[in-house]
Amino acid sequence: MEVYYTIEKTAMAEFKDRGSKFLAYAWPVKTADQVKECLQEIKKEHPKATHHCFAYRLGTDGLQYRANDDGEPSGTAGKPILGQIDSKQLTDVLVVVVRYFGGTLLGAPGLINAYKVSTSMVLQLIPAVQKNVETKYHLSFDYTILNDVMTIIKQQNCTVYSQELQLFCAMDIGIPKAVQELTVLKLGDIRGLEMKEIKK
């Protein structure tokens, strides 16, 4: 897999069914800690809501995920939310659906539909962005070869995550999987550049 899809903006959508109100929020997230922060934020914003159900998927391999029903009948909230994230093939995404109970029970099919529709609505508001799956590398080199290094980084569409540019420079970059071999070879040709892959 050389590319993945995610979102870069947040959005909110509202869905109503028989008096119950469903507010769906979507965020771009990278870590489980960011997920926690977003959940705390939402619970503060909606302390009187009956449920704060959510699902997320993280990582370019999409292996980190969770679906939470927050007190709704098992499988009626978190799963449909995650199902919508997956149907759009998104990762690094969190969707929280806040429910205000309207007095009429919706039953399992009604709940599944409400969580599915509200998630679908919020995800339609945000354009999906295609990103490169990257391998991270740490570079260290003398300032005199900075231009050579930056030329290759720009040509190969690498991401610079951090940099310290002094007499001696250090840089963490992400190299797109699609051009990894070529980029590593090109950087390896620069004399005086030290490069090592950053293992997760």
Side-chain angles (χ1 to χ4, degrees), residues 19-100:
S20 273
K21 196 161 74 165
F22 297 84
L23 304 173
Y25 294 83
W27 285 270
V29 287
K30 284 275 185 205
T31 62
D33 285 342
Q34 283 181 306
V35 169
K36 277 190 198 130
E37 283 167 25
C38 294
L39 282 167
Q40 283 166 352
E41 205 179 292
I42 276 296
K43 285 178 179 174
K44 262 191 208 144
E45 209 177 306
H46 298 281
K48 294 197 165 85
T50 332
H51 304 279
H52 305 84
C53 307
F54 68 91
Y56 64 80
R57 192 173 284 284
L58 301 175
T60 50
D61 52 15
L63 295 178
Q64 269 182 285
Y65 64 92
R66 193 162 163 221
N68 185 309
D69 297 316
D70 192 35
E72 292 281 31
S74 180
T76 59
K79 254 197 186 148
I81 297 171
L82 187 63
Q84 287 304 301
I85 293 172
D86 290 348
S87 76
K88 292 200 178 325
Q89 296 177 316
L90 296 171
T91 189
D92 291 345
V93 173
L94 162 70
V95 175
V96 182
V97 180
V98 176
R99 180 187 181 194
Y100 285 92

XYZ file of all heavy atoms in Angstrom, residues 19-100:
641
model
N -37.619 12.711 17.573
C -37.312 13.483 18.782
C -35.876 13.353 19.264
O -35.378 14.226 19.960
N -35.220 12.244 18.939
C -33.820 12.113 19.334
C -32.946 12.932 18.383
O -33.204 12.977 17.179
C -33.359 10.648 19.275
O -33.659 10.004 20.491
N -31.936 13.572 18.989
C -31.039 14.399 18.188
C -29.654 13.755 18.187
O -29.131 13.394 19.245
C -30.979 15.806 18.780
C -30.407 16.841 17.835
C -30.799 18.255 18.262
C -30.015 18.692 19.490
N -30.089 20.141 19.720
N -29.068 13.586 17.005
C -27.740 12.984 16.872
C -26.789 14.024 16.271
O -27.017 14.495 15.160
C -27.788 11.755 15.956
C -28.646 10.647 16.506
C -30.028 10.646 16.295
C -28.092 9.611 17.250
C -30.834 9.629 16.804
C -28.879 8.589 17.765
C -30.252 8.597 17.546
N -25.748 14.391 17.034
C -24.769 15.358 16.546
C -23.480 14.599 16.245
O -22.866 14.032 17.155
C -24.495 16.436 17.591
C -25.721 17.211 18.107
C -25.334 18.129 19.243
C -26.365 18.012 16.985
N -23.081 14.574 14.993
C -21.868 13.833 14.604
C -20.707 14.793 14.401
O -20.834 15.802 13.708
C -22.136 13.051 13.330
N -19.596 14.467 15.040
C -18.369 15.272 14.920
C -17.259 14.406 14.346
O -17.096 13.265 14.777
C -17.904 15.763 16.304
C -18.840 16.738 16.959
C -19.952 16.297 17.665
C -18.601 18.108 16.887
C -20.822 17.191 18.273
C -19.465 19.008 17.493
C -20.566 18.554 18.183
O -21.423 19.444 18.785
N -16.507 14.945 13.397
C -15.367 14.199 12.841
C -14.093 15.011 13.024
O -14.103 16.237 12.864
C -15.590 13.931 11.356
N -13.019 14.309 13.384
C -11.707 14.955 13.554
C -10.619 14.141 12.863
O -10.676 12.908 12.874
C -11.267 14.958 15.020
C -11.903 15.893 15.947
C -11.517 17.168 16.245
C -13.024 15.630 16.799
N -12.333 17.706 17.206
C -13.262 16.787 17.566
C -13.843 14.517 16.968
C -14.281 16.856 18.489
C -14.861 14.591 17.891
C -15.083 15.753 18.638
N -9.580 14.824 12.374
C -8.372 14.091 11.986
C -7.563 13.817 13.264
O -7.326 14.741 14.043
C -7.633 15.081 11.074
C -8.192 16.428 11.364
C -9.499 16.264 12.074
N -7.189 12.591 13.514
C -6.390 12.245 14.704
C -5.253 11.303 14.302
O -5.369 10.560 13.342
C -7.245 11.558 15.811
C -8.153 12.542 16.512
C -8.049 10.396 15.249
N -4.176 11.353 15.084
C -3.019 10.497 14.790
C -2.780 9.472 15.900
O -2.175 8.430 15.669
C -1.752 11.361 14.640
C -1.664 12.099 13.325
C -1.060 11.232 12.245
C -0.850 11.961 10.941
N -0.846 11.076 9.800
N -3.216 9.807 17.128
C -2.888 8.947 18.271
C -4.105 8.719 19.155
O -5.065 9.504 19.121
C -1.806 9.607 19.147
O -2.329 10.847 19.669
C -0.534 9.906 18.351
N -4.027 7.692 19.984
C -5.103 7.409 20.947
C -5.223 8.542 21.966
O -6.308 8.812 22.482
C -4.840 6.078 21.639
N -4.116 9.236 22.240
C -4.166 10.372 23.172
C -4.995 11.516 22.600
O -5.762 12.165 23.307
C -2.755 10.889 23.494
C -2.028 9.950 24.450
O -2.712 9.133 25.106
O -0.786 10.025 24.537
N -4.846 11.750 21.293
C -5.651 12.792 20.643
C -7.133 12.416 20.688
O -7.999 13.283 20.855
C -5.213 12.982 19.190
C -3.924 13.764 19.049
C -3.547 13.933 17.583
O -3.449 12.960 16.831
N -3.325 15.157 17.163
N -7.408 11.129 20.543
C -8.795 10.649 20.622
C -9.372 11.008 21.993
O -10.472 11.551 22.099
C -8.869 9.113 20.400
C -10.253 8.582 20.749
C -8.520 8.771 18.949
N -8.600 10.730 23.051
C -9.041 11.040 24.424
C -9.331 12.521 24.594
O -10.335 12.903 25.198
C -7.946 10.639 25.433
C -7.987 9.172 25.808
C -7.044 8.903 26.979
C -6.734 7.425 27.063
N -5.306 7.138 27.157
N -8.436 13.361 24.058
C -8.631 14.819 24.178
C -9.940 15.249 23.513
O -10.700 16.047 24.068
C -7.460 15.569 23.524
C -6.200 15.577 24.372
C -4.979 16.030 23.580
O -5.142 16.760 22.570
O -3.854 15.639 23.965
N -10.185 14.726 22.295
C -11.415 15.088 21.570
C -12.653 14.641 22.355
O -13.644 15.368 22.435
C -11.431 14.453 20.192
S -10.149 15.083 19.104
N -12.589 13.439 22.935
C -13.728 12.928 23.704
C -14.000 13.786 24.933
O -15.148 14.095 25.245
C -13.474 11.478 24.131
C -13.681 10.429 23.042
C -13.104 9.081 23.467
C -15.166 10.267 22.708
N -12.915 14.192 25.608
C -13.089 15.054 26.790
C -13.735 16.378 26.401
O -14.621 16.888 27.085
C -11.731 15.312 27.463
C -11.255 14.118 28.295
C -9.778 14.219 28.679
O -9.060 15.100 28.222
N -9.330 13.303 29.511
N -13.274 16.916 25.280
C -13.793 18.187 24.759
C -15.303 18.081 24.505
O -16.091 18.948 24.897
C -13.077 18.451 23.425
C -12.984 19.885 23.005
C -12.221 19.978 21.678
O -11.004 19.707 21.663
O -12.867 20.292 20.671
N -15.708 16.995 23.848
C -17.116 16.787 23.491
C -17.967 16.593 24.744
O -19.088 17.101 24.836
C -17.239 15.559 22.549
C -16.972 15.996 21.111
C -18.591 14.898 22.625
C -17.972 16.989 20.549
N -17.446 15.847 25.712
C -18.216 15.609 26.950
C -18.405 16.900 27.740
O -19.417 17.094 28.387
C -17.547 14.521 27.784
C -17.793 13.138 27.162
C -17.131 12.002 27.895
C -17.470 10.686 27.198
N -16.774 9.543 27.757
N -17.400 17.785 27.659
C -17.521 19.101 28.300
C -18.570 19.940 27.581
O -19.348 20.652 28.195
C -16.172 19.842 28.229
C -15.358 19.727 29.503
C -14.184 20.691 29.434
C -13.022 20.158 30.274
N -11.717 20.460 29.682
N -18.547 19.853 26.258
C -19.461 20.654 25.435
C -20.904 20.154 25.568
O -21.849 20.930 25.481
C -19.014 20.558 23.971
C -19.363 21.777 23.160
C -18.835 21.668 21.728
O -17.639 21.429 21.541
O -19.654 21.816 20.816
N -21.069 18.837 25.744
C -22.415 18.239 25.830
C -22.554 17.380 27.092
O -22.749 16.165 27.018
C -22.676 17.359 24.594
C -22.658 18.104 23.303
N -23.714 18.855 22.854
C -21.696 18.219 22.359
C -23.402 19.403 21.685
N -22.177 19.026 21.373
N -22.480 18.028 28.267
C -22.530 17.233 29.506
C -23.886 16.553 29.733
O -23.975 15.533 30.407
C -22.231 18.255 30.605
C -22.590 19.586 30.010
C -22.333 19.464 28.546
N -24.956 17.108 29.137
C -26.304 16.567 29.387
C -26.742 15.527 28.355
O -27.843 14.982 28.426
C -27.326 17.717 29.427
C -27.104 18.658 30.611
C -28.341 19.513 30.848
C -28.315 20.179 32.198
N -27.560 21.450 32.198
N -25.873 15.259 27.383
C -26.239 14.282 26.346
C -26.391 12.894 26.958
O -25.733 12.558 27.939
C -25.180 14.266 25.258
N -27.270 12.088 26.361
C -27.516 10.731 26.871
C -26.335 9.813 26.566
O -25.960 8.967 27.371
C -28.785 10.136 26.193
O -29.663 11.209 25.833
C -29.500 9.187 27.115
N -25.755 9.943 25.366
C -24.653 9.063 24.955
C -23.612 9.840 24.150
O -23.959 10.764 23.428
C -25.161 7.916 24.057
C -26.248 7.105 24.688
N -26.009 6.111 25.605
C -27.594 7.157 24.530
C -27.173 5.582 25.992
N -28.155 6.205 25.357
N -22.355 9.439 24.302
C -21.266 9.957 23.451
C -20.614 8.732 22.797
O -19.669 8.172 23.331
C -20.214 10.705 24.282
C -20.775 11.822 25.115
N -21.327 11.609 26.362
C -20.877 13.159 24.880
C -21.740 12.776 26.856
N -21.479 13.722 25.968
N -21.166 8.287 21.681
C -20.672 7.066 21.025
C -19.602 7.450 20.003
O -19.673 8.514 19.408
C -21.811 6.343 20.321
S -23.190 6.036 21.446
N -18.638 6.562 19.814
C -17.562 6.938 18.897
C -16.900 5.718 18.259
O -17.060 4.586 18.709
C -16.493 7.777 19.621
C -15.697 7.014 20.653
C -14.505 6.383 20.308
C -16.126 6.931 21.972
C -13.763 5.677 21.244
C -15.392 6.228 22.916
C -14.202 5.599 22.552
N -16.144 6.025 17.213
C -15.287 5.011 16.584
C -14.124 5.738 15.943
O -14.243 6.898 15.539
C -16.051 4.220 15.533
N -12.988 5.052 15.890
C -11.845 5.622 15.188
C -11.024 4.520 14.546
O -11.117 3.354 14.924
C -10.966 6.461 16.125
C -10.291 5.698 17.257
C -9.117 4.957 17.036
C -10.802 5.751 18.549
C -8.500 4.271 18.071
C -10.188 5.073 19.588
C -9.027 4.341 19.349
O -8.418 3.669 20.367
N -10.251 4.929 13.546
C -9.252 4.035 12.946
C -7.977 4.849 12.772
O -8.029 5.990 12.333
C -9.750 3.489 11.602
C -8.886 2.330 11.090
C -9.468 1.664 9.859
N -10.603 0.781 10.131
C -10.510 -0.445 10.659
N -9.355 -0.935 11.028
N -11.598 -1.171 10.840
N -6.846 4.248 13.140
C -5.570 4.965 13.111
C -4.511 4.184 12.342
O -4.572 2.957 12.254
C -5.024 5.168 14.536
C -5.861 5.938 15.551
C -5.178 5.913 16.913
C -6.067 7.374 15.115
N -3.521 4.927 11.842
C -2.343 4.296 11.241
C -2.529 3.983 9.772
O -3.642 3.718 9.318
N -1.421 3.985 9.020
C -1.517 3.731 7.584
C -1.900 2.281 7.306
O -2.454 1.971 6.271
C -0.202 4.066 6.870
O 0.870 3.424 7.572
C 0.050 5.552 6.849
N -1.633 1.401 8.274
C -2.069 0.004 8.097
C -3.505 -0.191 8.584
O -4.123 -1.226 8.363
C -1.124 -0.967 8.819
C -0.908 -0.593 10.291
O -1.697 0.228 10.815
O 0.039 -1.117 10.907
N -4.052 0.845 9.272
C -5.443 0.795 9.740
C -5.719 -0.254 10.800
O -6.868 -0.607 11.058
N -4.666 -0.735 11.471
C -4.861 -1.846 12.412
C -5.308 -1.389 13.802
O -5.767 -2.189 14.598
C -3.566 -2.672 12.532
C -3.136 -3.398 11.246
C -1.834 -4.145 11.447
C -4.223 -4.350 10.760
N -5.139 -0.109 14.079
C -5.589 0.400 15.382
C -6.992 0.976 15.229
O -7.185 1.950 14.510
C -4.680 1.548 15.825
C -3.483 1.153 16.653
C -2.731 2.428 17.028
O -2.044 3.017 16.206
N -2.889 2.879 18.243
N -7.958 0.357 15.882
C -9.304 0.908 15.772
C -10.104 0.560 17.028
O -9.746 -0.335 17.792
C -10.028 0.375 14.528
C -10.272 -1.118 14.558
C -11.460 -1.642 15.067
C -9.299 -2.002 14.095
C -11.669 -3.008 15.109
C -9.508 -3.367 14.136
C -10.700 -3.869 14.653
O -10.903 -5.230 14.706
N -11.193 1.285 17.220
C -12.057 1.011 18.347
C -13.459 1.506 18.023
O -13.619 2.506 17.322
C -11.513 1.754 19.585
C -12.180 1.271 20.840
C -11.436 1.614 22.091
N -12.392 1.456 23.186
C -12.496 2.287 24.202
N -11.704 3.317 24.293
N -13.398 2.076 25.143
N -14.449 0.812 18.525
C -15.843 1.247 18.366
C -16.491 1.152 19.743
O -16.402 0.122 20.405
C -16.554 0.342 17.377
N -17.119 2.239 20.184
C -17.674 2.283 21.531
C -19.149 2.695 21.496
O -19.501 3.725 20.924
C -16.857 3.292 22.357
C -17.273 3.320 23.813
O -18.442 3.451 24.135
N -16.307 3.207 24.702
N -20.005 1.873 22.135
C -21.459 2.140 22.127
C -21.909 3.070 23.252
O -23.057 3.519 23.260
C -22.236 0.818 22.245
C -21.989 -0.098 21.047
O -22.013 0.404 19.917
O -21.769 -1.306 21.256
N -21.037 3.322 24.217
C -21.330 4.222 25.341
C -22.747 4.031 25.906
O -23.527 4.976 26.018
C -21.114 5.687 24.937
C -21.134 6.619 26.156
O -20.659 6.203 27.224
O -21.638 7.760 26.042
N -23.094 2.796 26.218
C -24.386 2.554 26.872
C -25.543 2.245 25.941
O -26.612 1.837 26.379
N -25.375 2.453 24.640
C -26.415 2.045 23.691
C -26.353 0.509 23.582
O -25.334 -0.101 23.901
C -26.161 2.665 22.302
C -26.325 4.171 22.225
C -27.785 4.614 22.147
O -28.666 3.930 22.706
O -28.034 5.683 21.555
N -27.431 -0.144 23.117
C -27.377 -1.605 22.971
C -26.172 -2.023 22.118
O -25.837 -1.344 21.144
C -28.696 -1.945 22.257
C -29.601 -0.801 22.583
C -28.729 0.416 22.726
N -25.525 -3.101 22.515
C -24.271 -3.542 21.881
C -24.375 -3.624 20.353
O -25.301 -4.210 19.809
C -23.882 -4.906 22.444
O -22.687 -5.319 21.828
N -23.430 -2.980 19.686
C -23.358 -3.059 18.225
C -24.251 -2.085 17.477
O -24.264 -2.065 16.247
N -24.999 -1.227 18.210
C -25.934 -0.328 17.505
C -25.346 1.052 17.224
O -25.926 1.838 16.480
C -27.230 -0.112 18.311
O -26.887 0.459 19.584
C -27.992 -1.411 18.517
N -24.170 1.372 17.825
C -23.639 2.738 17.663
C -22.206 2.729 17.115
O -21.942 3.186 16.012
C -23.704 3.477 18.988
N -21.272 2.214 17.919
C -19.855 2.231 17.517
C -19.609 1.538 16.193
O -18.898 2.043 15.321
N -20.234 0.365 16.029
C -20.008 -0.421 14.796
C -20.493 0.311 13.540
O -19.778 0.376 12.545
C -20.704 -1.776 14.910
C -19.742 -2.914 15.151
C -20.424 -4.232 14.843
C -19.539 -5.410 15.215
N -20.342 -6.554 15.640
N -21.738 0.830 13.547
C -22.174 1.582 12.353
C -21.306 2.806 12.070
O -21.104 3.173 10.914
C -23.610 2.004 12.689
C -24.020 1.242 13.882
C -22.808 0.656 14.522
N -20.788 3.451 13.146
C -19.904 4.618 12.941
C -18.624 4.147 12.244
O -18.200 4.709 11.232
C -19.569 5.319 14.282
C -20.836 5.887 14.949
C -18.551 6.450 14.062
C -20.639 6.415 16.370
N -18.024 3.091 12.788
C -16.788 2.554 12.195
C -17.037 2.076 10.761
O -16.201 2.267 9.876
C -16.242 1.407 13.055
C -14.866 0.855 12.646
C -13.778 1.919 12.767
C -14.495 -0.366 13.473
N -18.198 1.489 10.543
C -18.564 1.000 9.206
C -18.534 2.111 8.168
O -18.098 1.909 7.021
N -18.977 3.311 8.564
C -18.977 4.450 7.631
C -17.557 4.957 7.366
O -17.211 5.323 6.250
C -19.848 5.592 8.173
C -21.326 5.319 8.094
C -21.776 4.991 6.678
O -21.614 5.768 5.757
N -22.315 3.791 6.496
N -16.726 4.971 8.417
C -15.315 5.371 8.253
C -14.656 4.408 7.261
O -13.956 4.809 6.334
C -14.574 5.347 9.618
C -15.124 6.438 10.560
C -13.056 5.529 9.429
C -14.592 6.388 11.992
N -14.930 3.106 7.463
C -14.313 2.089 6.610
C -14.854 2.102 5.187
O -14.126 1.830 4.228
C -14.501 0.692 7.221
C -13.657 0.525 8.479
O -12.791 1.392 8.726
O -13.857 -0.457 9.219
N -16.138 2.423 5.039
C -16.712 2.411 3.680
C -16.076 3.510 2.832
O -16.015 3.417 1.616
C -18.230 2.558 3.721
O -18.574 3.904 3.988
N -15.577 4.561 3.498
C -14.877 5.633 2.773
C -13.367 5.371 2.728
O -12.601 6.206 2.253
C -15.160 6.983 3.437
C -16.598 7.428 3.286
C -16.700 8.912 3.509
C -18.062 9.521 3.340
N -18.932 9.012 2.346
N -12.963 4.225 3.279
C -11.545 3.817 3.313
C -10.657 4.866 3.966
O -9.553 5.166 3.491
C -11.040 3.519 1.897
C -11.766 2.335 1.277
C -11.329 2.073 -0.140
O -11.196 3.003 -0.935
N -11.111 0.811 -0.480
N -11.136 5.426 5.067
C -10.380 6.466 5.762
C -9.596 5.887 6.939
O -10.000 4.892 7.534
C -11.337 7.537 6.301
C -12.131 8.336 5.275
C -13.188 9.184 5.969
C -11.220 9.224 4.439
N -8.490 6.555 7.282
C -7.790 6.227 8.520
C -7.349 7.539 9.169
O -7.494 8.607 8.577
C -6.613 5.260 8.274
O -6.125 4.835 9.558
C -5.480 5.896 7.485
N -6.821 7.447 10.398
C -6.491 8.640 11.192
C -7.721 9.547 11.334
O -7.646 10.765 11.153
C -5.316 9.419 10.565
C -4.005 8.637 10.684
O -3.953 7.678 11.475
O -3.029 8.987 9.999
N -8.839 8.905 11.632
C -10.123 9.617 11.734
C -10.862 9.173 12.999
O -10.897 7.995 13.320
C -11.027 9.309 10.513
C -12.419 9.909 10.699
C -10.415 9.834 9.230
N -11.439 10.160 13.685
C -12.317 9.884 14.830
C -13.682 10.502 14.540
O -13.760 11.649 14.101
C -11.736 10.512 16.102
C -12.704 10.684 17.290
C -13.089 9.345 17.903
C -12.089 11.586 18.355
N -14.743 9.724 14.761
C -16.099 10.287 14.680
C -16.792 10.025 16.014
O -16.821 8.896 16.502
C -16.924 9.670 13.528
C -18.368 10.204 13.560
C -16.296 9.983 12.172
N -17.314 11.092 16.609
C -18.102 10.982 17.842
C -19.527 11.407 17.509
O -19.729 12.454 16.890
C -17.567 11.901 18.966
C -18.373 11.717 20.248
C -16.089 11.627 19.233
N -20.490 10.584 17.897
C -21.893 10.971 17.701
C -22.522 11.146 19.086
O -22.561 10.217 19.890
C -22.672 9.933 16.871
C -24.119 10.396 16.696
C -22.025 9.727 15.501
N -22.976 12.372 19.336
C -23.597 12.719 20.619
C -25.100 12.561 20.460
O -25.690 13.102 19.519
C -23.260 14.185 20.988
C -23.960 14.597 22.260
C -21.741 14.362 21.104
N -25.722 11.829 21.370
C -27.170 11.634 21.249
C -27.905 12.287 22.417
O -27.561 12.092 23.576
C -27.509 10.144 21.235
C -29.022 9.925 21.107
C -29.424 8.478 21.252
N -30.860 8.318 21.100
C -31.534 7.226 21.428
N -30.893 6.177 21.917
N -32.845 7.160 21.266
N -28.916 13.058 22.067
C -29.874 13.561 23.057
C -31.151 12.757 22.868
O -31.771 12.823 21.799
C -30.139 15.057 22.831
C -29.000 15.944 23.288
C -27.995 16.318 22.399
C -28.926 16.395 24.601
C -26.933 17.124 22.813
C -27.875 17.213 25.026
C -26.889 17.567 24.125
O -25.845 18.359 24.541
